[in-house]
Amino acid sequence: MSAMANPFPQTTATWSLPDRGKVAMAGLIIAESAIFTIFVVAYLFYVGKSLTGPTPREVLETPIFYSICLLSSSLTIHFAAKSLARDRVGAFLGLWALTIVLGGTFMYGTAQEWHRLIYEHGLTISTNLFGTTYYSLVGLHAFHVTAGLLMLLIVAIFALVGRVGVRQSRRVEVLSMYWHFVDVVWVVVFTVVYVLGR
Amino acid sequence: MVAHLSVFVLAITGIIFLVVFTLLAYSVIKFRARGRDANREPAQVYGSTQIELAWTIIPILIVVVLFLATARVLHAVQDAPQPPGAIEVTAIGHQYWWEFRYPKLGVVTANELHIPVSDPANPNPTFLTLLSADTDHSFWVPELAGKTDLIPNHPNRMWMDPQRTGIFLGQCAQYCGVQHAKMLLRISVDSPEDFAAWVRGQQQPAVQDASVAAGRRVFESNACMNCHAVGATPANGRFGPDLTHLMSRVTIASGAAANTPEKLRLWIQDPNAIKPGSLMPAMKLSDSDLDAVVSYMETLR
Amino acid sequence: MSSNAITIPGVQIDERPWVDTLHEWVTTVDHKRLGVLYILYALLFLVVAGGEALIIRIQLMFPHNQFVSPQVFNRLFTMHGTTMVFFMGMPILFGFANYLVPLMIGARDMAFPRLNAFSFWLSALGGFLLYFSLVGANGLYGAGNAPDVGWWAYAPLTARAFSPGHSTDYWTLALLVSGFGSIGTAINIIATILCMRCPGMKLNRMPLLAWLNLVMAGMVLLAVSPLTAAQMMLLIDRYLGGHFFDTQAGGSAVLWMHFFWIFGHPEVYILIIPCFAFMSEIIPVFSRKPIFGYPVMVAATVSIGFVSMSVWAHHMFTVGMNSYANSFFTITTMAVGVPTGIKIFNWLGTMWGGRIQFKTPMLFSIAFLFQFLIAGLTGVMLASAAFASQLSLSYFVVAHFHYTLVGGVIVAVFAAIYYWYPKITGRMLNETLGKWHFWLFLIGFHLTFDLMHIPGLLGMPRRIYTYEPGRGWDTLNLLISIGAFIQAIAILLFVANLLISYFKGAQAGNDPWDAWTLEWSTSSPPPAYNFASIPVVASRRPLWDLKHPEDPDSQYE
């Protein structure tokens, strides 16, 4: 085979296919959305069905500030990726760091809320149906935020040692897709838990 | 009704099978490669829109017909209203036995159900409320009705309208644990007189026979009464079957053994010999205590 | 391995140390090697789970048989089902997808070779975890305990109260881990098919195998994820005191059923769609005609993908849903039979007017058509919710799904192995042994699974370790068990064929079947880089065009 000429007719037409990083991330987002959907369904199904214990209305405080932090981090990461695509690494680094700070603030907010719920209201994952579904859903989201923050940090470290430039912009864009997904999930979780669920 | 539907469905699927199978067999025989075909390829046909349409539309029509036939029977069965005189039974599934209560008649029994026969002129169906004390079970007596599950925290209802008397066998149909296989059902469809007699017998208080007082003491001083109930005595455990009229039943251990003194003795001494994994513990009684308790049980008609 | 080695006379070349070969295989990221690893892994579990089935059938040969205890029996059917679905079915189909998709679309490898390897080893870990339960589940001081909750693990049987110890946890973790592997492979397949096709291979020129694996991969993303979520919920219930399925706390056992079957039903379509793909590649070649109705086949598969996500509660007809819900699931379940039937008709249309060669792959394909037709029709019977109230949870259902999984999936896998073994190894499988395998397996299969419908109709429920005599089930069960042993012998012949032919089979050459898709244009086995230069295609059958320049497909498409 190695010595044979290519038997297939050649073509000079252009042949372009989608970027595999983006397709793969889209696939991952679809799968993760399905997982979150099941937890949301469980949450909605069990609204009002707890036999005992604190109810959402009694204990939940709407985390407006922290939600704004998380959602604006989508903006900052978007502009960070754009900056990198234009080879403006300084702007990229600044916006990227801001994204991490905003995401970290959101996590701090979640930790604070959970501390209050556990120690002031005695609501844990085993207290009642509300506790189980609340901590699972919000916790699953928080886990995804944490994983995202870790990845953002790794990129930040690489950027600080000068290894992130315009040639990595495609990969950074793929990572930012994940971060946008995490934010969209928060919009859903927020609506289900703090708006509908009460 | 379900029987008619099943024949209808069977007929349609049977016809489809014959048609397609004939086409398959025909093409396998007629279009097989023969020696003289060695270097010729047949006509390379890519498809045909008309044929595709035909074999799309016809199956869709068949599906619509089957669906309508099914939906009709479904609604008739599931949404059947309960007539006023219907017998009401509450069936509670346990690992691995059936608890039956007749709330309006004040009867509590286990594993063997008695219901009156019905007929189209004077319908006398039995409506069951299905509950579970532990895991999922399913009540299935094929000759009397389709099955419905017993799921904890999810009450279900079903009905039976038996048209002939006799004994009908069934068993649990939803895997519920180790002894799922031996959670048997025995339904006795009685004539109205026999059913009334049975109910009267079940409504009697427990037989108090002084000659088995020793056995009764064994029963009430060991752990037996924690799980079992005997009417009008201190024993009122609900974990195991009600034993007030144990001798009115043909089998013990939910059908796993015949209701004879020998089997009863073995059951109390070593349940795992009859139904390994059942939740009745081996009572580890001495021989004399065992004999006494069995004599006591034998009086509970 | 390749037939292109250059030999230099007079030079002594030492045998390669086996550790080197082992290292190469363990660290491989080559899609062909990973494909072979998946297939071998699955064949190993086919034998293990088949053994479990044989023990089950021995126990059920006679009423009140005491070959195994009820505890062991319950573990056997749980392990048999779980192993066959997750560690035989999924891996073997992922293995074929891995091997064939890049070759068929003219690519050099999958989109993400390292993710590919990672996904394989995750799935392998899952299988290991499940079987480790035999020694690990009870701790060091007891005999091991495999899970015994059935492969659907209904709540509340899986709660701590009813399943103490760790056997259920091994089930949960094994599936959680291999689920991540499945999602990884699915992402890889989608990215490969969408982003790595060779020039000229527009989506409507892809081999049907590529299309169908694309649909299958999309379904994996949507269906395996609910199972993953449910497993997490089960672990939360068992270890963190959660109440998702805790009926005592107001939780719902039915919710588990919904979540499981939202996975479970699409899962069986995930298993059968790659088998449809095999049929769509094999039947045309041995009928010597192109597939009849390529666009309709694609459309039918995509619609099966969508509709099958809406039928899940037909597994729950006895649970007490209201009549409107039951009617809804009846119509969707019957509806999914329409595109499936269309596919069967299209395969018939492919054979019609052809010149059918009865080589072993085609024998298995014809058997597939016959058996899948019957399985589909018993499925229609089960779809009718009112009829299903008698048929559900009985041996009728067991017969139906074994008809689809053994008579459908396994038979199609046999066809695929006989068809592509020459490409993978460079050697032909023995036709005589193949025909013995085929006929013995067919006889055993039909003896077992045709008869098995009858005890179901007579009232025999599933998952029982023994049964009462005198219900009319006795002789049937005996014959069914005999059929199982005949199938086992057939499989032994098959394994023998695989081994003997590897060393003694006739040399295959590039294209032993005179086929038309790109994998047959390269050597058998292909070199690591697949193609010396990337192909360019102008039709659905590039090799037909090359072999028949006077009448290429590109003229008609």
Side-chain angles (χ1 to χ4, degrees), chain A residues 97-109:
Chain A
L98 189 52
T99 309
I100 295 176
V101 166
L102 287 168
T105 310
F106 173 82
M107 287 305 299
Y108 170 77

Side-chain angles (χ1 to χ4, degrees), chain B residues 121-196:
Chain B
N122 289 315
N124 198 0
T126 301
F127 273 70
L128 293 101
T129 303
L130 304 173
L131 309 170
S132 170
D134 39 38
T135 58
D136 303 329
H137 304 274
S138 192
F139 184 93
W140 191 29
V141 184
E143 291 174 278
L144 293 183
K147 65 183 71 65
T148 307
D149 290 359
L150 293 81
I151 299 172
N153 203 25
H154 185 95
N156 276 332
R157 279 171 57 73
M158 64 174 280
W159 55 268
M160 299 191 283
D161 196 31
Q163 304 290 307
R164 34 180 244 280
T165 56
I167 303 288
F168 296 91
L169 300 175
Q171 59 191 100
C172 176
Q174 183 70 270
Y175 180 64
C176 49
V178 171
Q179 278 296 342
H180 159 68
K182 295 271 189 178
M183 199 170 147
L184 306 179
L185 282 164
R186 189 184 170 86
I187 318 287
S188 176
V189 177
D190 302 328
S191 67
E193 303 75 38
D194 286 343
F195 178 69

Side-chain angles (χ1 to χ4, degrees), chain A residues 149-171:
Chain A
L149 282 174
L150 269 166
M151 291 191 282
L152 294 181
L153 265 166
I154 292 174
V155 170
I157 292 172
F158 276 122
L160 283 171
V161 297
R163 290 207 178 211
V164 179
V166 66
R167 286 172 56 192
Q168 282 72 34
S169 76
R170 195 184 55 82
R171 292 183 182 182

Side-chain angles (χ1 to χ4, degrees), chain C residues 95-227:
Chain C
F96 274 105
N98 245 311
Y99 196 97
L100 294 171
V101 166
L103 283 168
M104 282 181 149
I105 64 173
R108 294 204 187 286
D109 205 316
M110 297 283 273
F112 300 101
R114 284 173 301 186
L115 175 64
N116 205 4
F118 179 66
S119 303
F120 169 73
W121 290 107
L122 265 185
S123 300
L125 177 65
F128 169 74
L129 268 177
L130 182 67
Y131 279 85
F132 187 76
S133 64
L134 287 163
V135 293
N138 240 8
L140 293 173
Y141 48 83
N145 261 314
D148 61 353
V149 288
W151 87 277
W152 339 307
Y154 272 4
L157 189 58
T158 48
R160 268 321 239 313
F162 299 109
S163 288
H166 296 308
S167 51
T168 302
D169 302 314
Y170 276 95
W171 181 86
T172 311
L173 283 170
L175 297 192
L176 197 58
V177 164
S178 71
F180 289 129
S182 301
I183 293 177
T185 305
I187 290 176
N188 224 336
I189 292 174
I190 295 173
T192 306
I193 291 177
L194 291 181
C195 309
M196 318 257 301
R197 282 166 284 131
C198 62
M201 189 173 285
K202 303 190 278 197
L203 282 174
N204 67 357
R205 284 190 196 148
M206 269 199 319
L208 280 179
L209 188 135
W211 261 114
L212 270 63
N213 276 293
L214 180 64
V215 172
M216 180 269 272
M219 289 174 70
V220 167
L221 293 184
L222 288 174
V224 171
S225 308
L227 179 67

Side-chain angles (χ1 to χ4, degrees), chain A residues 1 9 15 20 31 46 125-126 136, chain C residues 111 197 225 241 243-244 252 521:
Chain A
M1 208 65 193
W15 178 246
R20 57 195 168 118
Y46 283 134
I125 201 170
S126 60
S136 322
Chain C
R197 282 166 284 131
S225 308
H243 304 292
F244 280 107
S252 167
S521 74

Side-chain angles (χ1 to χ4, degrees), chain B residues 8 25 89 92 102 105 143 175 271 290:
Chain B
F8 180 64
V89 175
I92 303 164
Y102 297 68
L105 302 173
E143 291 174 278
Y175 180 64
L290 194 51

